[in-house]
Amino acid sequence: MSPESLQSIYQQYKHDTEFVASWLANTAKAFGFSSQVGESSTGKTPTKPSGRLKGKERKKAKAAQVPSNELSELSEPSKPSYTLAIKDFIPLAEHIAEASNAANIRVPNSFSVALERVIWVRKSFAERLEDAGRRFDQDSDARHSFFVNILEKVRKTLQPLLSVDAFNLSNLKDAVTNVGTHKDKKGLSSLFEVLDVYEPSAEFEAAPDVVVPAPSALKYTVEAEEDSQFEALFAMTALMDDLSRLRLEIAELWTRYEAGEMDIAAVSVATNTAIELARSFEDDISPFVQRNGGSSTFHAKYFHAVSEALGIDAEAKQRPSDDYNFAAYEIADALLINTLINIIAFVRANPLGEIPSYNGFYGWYDEASIQPSGSNRKKYNRMKPALLELLSDLPLISNHPGPVEDQLMQGMMTTLRTAKQERKETLDVPMWFSFAAQVYLDTLNIVKIGKAWTDMQHVMRIVKQSVYDLPTSCPERKKVLGALDTWDKGIDPIALIRTSLDLETLRKMQGNSTFFIGEPPSSFEGYFNFCLTIGSAITNWAQNKRDKKLKVSKDNKPLMKFLGMTSTLVANRISTFGDRRPVSVDVVEDWIQRVSKSQGNVETERIQTPTAKNKKNKQPLIHRLADAVA
């Protein structure tokens, strides 16, 4: 794999533009360009060295030299960086062209490749958008045209010095014909294929005339276009193309795992790392994201813009309850909108601090089913419960942190914390979290349910046998074996955690006043008073006490509230051999009254029997019964 392929597409594009700027500026200065070139972030102008070092200074410099292959690696972190205005490209190119008449200036093939690639990508992407009917504001369109025109003038000025074969467009088209199999979503291939220039074939990369641009003596960046609509759409398209490629690569790994060719640990680590890469790719375009309302807002805008460009109104829902127009399902799947929508809905319904539990409102994921090939609605309805089941487990696990926290966990906690801190109307869900959730759904369609669980149990048994070999005196031995027994016995760890929450749920149902006088204790004195309130006799703390037995008084011991009265009354009617006598309206009204009395209040009108005065406006009987159960 080439070094370039380890970068995001947008980073490779930026590398091209910066290399063009750096080569022009450094070469022009080396051949006598005297005007100021670039502006430093520190406010200093790059200057040319005063001349050759002499005497002791020259010896010191010579002794400090390192091999060239090490020099770039060691010096790059401290390499000065300067911003070059786009308009300065032409004077620099003209100076180089003039200097070439008296000097032997060689333009490297890497410069030709970088220059042609930037021109081709920007022009082609703009043409695709124009064909799709996408229009930019006047300023954005003017800046894009200006940049391309400047680059074309640079190419024309340096044409006599450029290698003819350094960047052959016919070769490029051949190189990208077999790339992009990941773009199987309808209509998206025409938008993404422009970027295949940054993922050419192995033969194209191996050609002797294609050289990856090397670092320059001074690094020059091109003035930012962070407020440009064109640049924002280009950056977002590059990110989505990157994530599409990563998604395909991850799916291939899990396919190999399902076939028994790879180990679950290896594939899991690789998957988590791929999601971390997606996170860094999103960071690359962060300025554009923030200028366009944040992750979720920009993400949704991009989806609607792409859908509109492909002739679909994403808001034209077939049913009011639909999340969007399912005619755009393939686009939403490719652009990670399906997961984004459901993450937003879940976080809004379950703020930080709550322990959610999916109740099956949208159905349950059918493990035995296969991905439907027909209706987009069926595909979406199969996906939604699977994702909600996963999302409800993530906050639960975060409350019981272990030694490992994967990107799914980090994504959920990042989103929940952001939602609590910022309290914005629009939740800011990182795109990499939507990507991580989609990878999970993809894996469900590849790996047979239960296979990974079985493999993990097998690994745990091997580990358990190793722990048995440790000395019984080892303090951690018992603790580790206890944890391993959970896996060995086939107990679902998530279900086990939820069981441990039962007491906490009971405390919340009863309320603090059932157990404490005032707030829960937080000091020694508070805990002492708590012991007294639950029936512990004060004589237990007597200094000269002879009887060591703990004395407990039942007189002042608090009692828990009797809750669930409705369920108790109805239980005998729903049990297998229960009461089958016909139930009347009067019986149900009696149930509601008894529930109200058992709660010892008349504070809630929702379960009260209405008076004759408001009978016309009363809730239906069954509704009031349901409220009583709730």
Side-chain angles (χ1 to χ4, degrees):
M1 181 178 287
S2 69
E4 281 190 306
S5 62
L6 299 175
Q7 295 181 307
S8 68
I9 287 176
Y10 189 71
Q11 275 297 327
Q12 293 179 59
Y13 161 77
K14 293 295 290 182
H15 181 263
D16 277 352
T17 59
E18 289 172 3
F19 178 74
V20 169
S22 296
W23 188 87
L24 287 173
N26 285 311
T27 305
K29 285 177 60 183
F31 287 91
F33 190 81
S34 57
S35 301
Q36 177 178 326
V37 180
E39 185 176 320
S40 171
S41 56
T42 62
K44 296 179 181 179
T45 303
T47 57
K48 185 177 179 180
S50 58
R52 293 181 62 192
L53 296 174
K54 299 180 180 180
K56 293 181 180 179
E57 295 300 323
R58 185 179 180 185
K59 290 180 180 179
K60 288 180 182 179
K62 189 173 183 180
Q65 286 182 348
V66 293
S68 59
N69 61 334
E70 298 177 17
L71 182 60
S72 60
E73 182 179 349
L74 293 172
S75 62
E76 190 165 358
S78 59
K79 185 187 302 180
S81 178
Y82 302 93
T83 301
L84 189 65
I86 296 172
K87 63 182 178 58
D88 290 338
F89 280 31
I90 293 178
L92 294 171
E94 289 175 343
H95 181 82
I96 294 170
E98 291 174 4
S100 66
N101 296 325
N104 183 21
I105 298 179
R106 179 183 176 273
V107 178
N109 288 346
S110 53
F111 175 84
S112 302
V113 170
L115 179 62
E116 288 287 356
R117 198 154 56 174
V118 172
I119 294 173
W120 189 82
V121 165
R122 287 189 71 105
K123 289 185 69 174
S124 300
F125 187 72
E127 289 169 1
R128 294 290 193 282
L129 294 176
E130 188 175 347
D131 291 343
R134 182 68 184 177
R135 296 287 184 270
F136 300 107
D137 60 74
Q138 190 172 355
D139 287 344
S140 180
D141 188 58
R143 274 180 290 181
H144 160 67
S145 300
F146 176 70
F147 192 16
V148 172
N149 289 337
I150 291 291
L151 293 176
E152 289 180 327
K153 288 179 181 178
V154 168
R155 179 177 59 186
K156 184 177 180 180
T157 301
L158 298 177
Q159 194 69 53
L161 308 178
L162 298 178
S163 172
V164 177
D165 298 323
F167 193 79
N168 190 305
L169 284 182
S170 63
N171 289 343
L172 172 66
K173 292 173 182 176
D174 292 338
V176 301
T177 50
N178 295 322
V179 176
T181 55
H182 61 294
K183 307 181 207 51
D184 55 353
K185 305 301 179 183
K186 295 178 181 178
L188 289 176
S189 58
S190 61
L191 186 63
F192 284 153
E193 68 183 5
V194 172
L195 303 174
D196 283 338
V197 64
Y198 289 108
E199 193 180 312
S201 66
E203 294 79 5
F204 184 74
E205 285 186 328
D209 55 352
V210 178
V211 182
V212 176
S216 306
L218 289 177
K219 181 181 178 182
Y220 288 83
T221 59
V222 182
E223 57 187 347
E225 293 182 271
E226 292 174 4
D227 58 343
S228 164
Q229 288 185 6
F230 173 88
E231 198 77 11
L233 275 177
F234 178 78
M236 187 64 168
T237 303
L239 174 64
M240 287 297 151
D241 197 21
D242 277 322
L243 299 186
S244 181
R245 297 173 198 271
L246 273 179
R247 187 175 165 187
L248 176 66
E249 291 169 8
I250 295 171
E252 289 171 348
L253 284 178
W254 285 106
T255 301
R256 291 177 62 190
Y257 164 71
E258 173 67 14
E261 298 175 6
M262 295 196 73
D263 178 75
I264 185 173
V267 178
S268 299
V269 170
T271 299
N272 197 65
T273 304
I275 297 170
E276 289 191 81
L277 283 175
R279 192 172 186 170
S280 69
F281 292 168
E282 183 176 348
D283 288 343
D284 290 342
I285 70 164
S286 178
F288 303 107
V289 172
Q290 298 309 317
R291 281 182 175 270
N292 284 274
S295 296
S296 298
T297 299
F298 188 33
H299 197 170
K301 284 180 180 178
Y302 182 77
F303 164 64
H304 285 86
V306 172
S307 298
E308 181 183 352
L310 298 176
I312 300 174
D313 181 0
E315 288 297 324
K317 305 174 183 179
Q318 287 86 2
R319 302 175 187 174
S321 60
D322 290 347
D323 289 331
Y324 62 91
N325 179 1
F326 288 140
Y329 173 83
E330 295 292 339
I331 303 171
D333 179 80
L335 301 184
L336 311 175
I337 290 297
N338 292 330
T339 48
L340 172 67
I341 289 173
N342 286 283
I343 290 172
I344 290 175
F346 177 84
V347 173
R348 280 178 173 163
N350 301 280
L352 187 65
E354 299 291 329
I355 303 297
S357 181
Y358 178 58
N359 60 7
F361 183 81
Y362 296 101
W364 299 94
Y365 177 69
D366 184 1
E367 299 177 357
S369 69
I370 60 173
Q371 175 73 357
S373 57
S375 163
N376 287 341
R377 183 179 300 279
K378 288 182 180 178
K379 293 178 184 178
Y380 188 81
N381 289 341
R382 180 177 182 268
M383 173 279 301
K384 191 180 185 81
L387 181 57
L388 293 177
E389 289 176 42
L390 166 72
L391 296 177
S392 67
D393 284 341
L394 295 180
L396 176 70
I397 300 171
S398 71
N399 278 2
H400 297 73
V404 176
E405 184 178 73
D406 65 9
Q407 292 299 301
L408 273 171
M409 283 293 307
Q410 292 185 30
M412 173 57 76
M413 298 317 298
T414 297
T415 303
L416 287 172
R417 282 193 292 266
T418 302
K420 184 176 183 179
Q421 292 169 359
E422 300 185 2
R423 302 192 178 194
K424 296 189 300 185
E425 184 177 341
T426 303
L427 293 176
D428 212 23
V429 180
M431 285 177 267
W432 60 265
F433 182 30
S434 299
F435 173 73
Q438 185 59 58
V439 166
Y440 169 80
L441 295 174
D442 291 344
T443 306
L444 284 181
N445 292 324
I446 297 170
V447 180
K448 183 179 179 182
I449 300 295
K451 175 178 170 59
W453 173 259
T454 302
D455 287 350
M456 291 179 71
Q457 280 187 300
H458 176 68
V459 172
M460 291 299 174
R461 288 179 185 132
I462 295 175
V463 175
K464 185 176 181 180
Q465 190 58 50
S466 300
V467 176
Y468 271 129
D469 294 337
L470 295 173
T472 55
S473 59
C474 179
E476 298 296 326
R477 183 177 185 273
K478 184 177 180 180
K479 182 179 178 180
V480 174
L481 284 174
L484 293 173
D485 279 341
T486 301
W487 289 90
D488 197 14
K489 294 175 182 177
I491 301 174
D492 183 352
I494 306 298
L496 190 63
I497 293 174
R498 287 199 180 279
T499 302
S500 69
L501 294 174
D502 287 350
L503 289 176
E504 178 64 16
T505 302
L506 177 64
R507 187 188 69 78
K508 288 182 178 180
M509 290 173 63
Q510 291 285 327
N512 284 340
S513 61
T514 300
F515 304 98
F516 313 111
I517 297 177
E519 294 298 317
S522 58
S523 63
F524 176 82
E525 183 181 359
Y527 279 103
F528 176 76
N529 292 332
F530 172 68
C531 289
L532 297 179
T533 60
I534 62 175
S536 178
I538 196 169
T539 56
N540 289 323
W541 284 270
Q543 291 184 354
N544 299 321
K545 182 182 177 184
R546 295 181 180 179
D547 186 3
K548 302 297 182 183
K549 186 177 179 181
L550 183 67
K551 294 182 179 180
V552 178
S553 172
K554 296 182 179 180
D555 294 337
N556 62 335
K557 197 173 182 179
L559 299 176
M560 289 193 293
K561 301 170 186 173
F562 186 82
L563 302 177
M565 172 65 80
T566 311
S567 299
T568 303
L569 294 172
V570 175
N572 194 38
R573 301 198 61 82
I574 61 177
S575 60
T576 305
F577 301 104
D579 190 350
R580 294 294 180 269
R581 290 175 295 177
V583 66
S584 66
V585 171
D586 290 338
V587 170
V588 177
E589 289 281 14
D590 180 60
W591 288 349
I592 296 173
Q593 284 294 316
R594 291 173 66 180
V595 171
S596 180
K597 289 179 181 179
S598 72
Q599 293 178 348
N601 62 69
V602 287
E603 63 185 11
T604 170
E605 296 181 359
R606 63 179 186 172
I607 62 173
Q608 290 178 13
T609 304
T611 60
K613 196 173 183 178
N614 63 7
K615 274 186 178 179
K616 292 182 180 179
N617 300 321
K618 70 176 183 178
Q619 281 186 312
L621 179 69
I622 299 303
H623 285 206
R624 289 190 289 117
L625 177 64
D627 285 335
V629 176

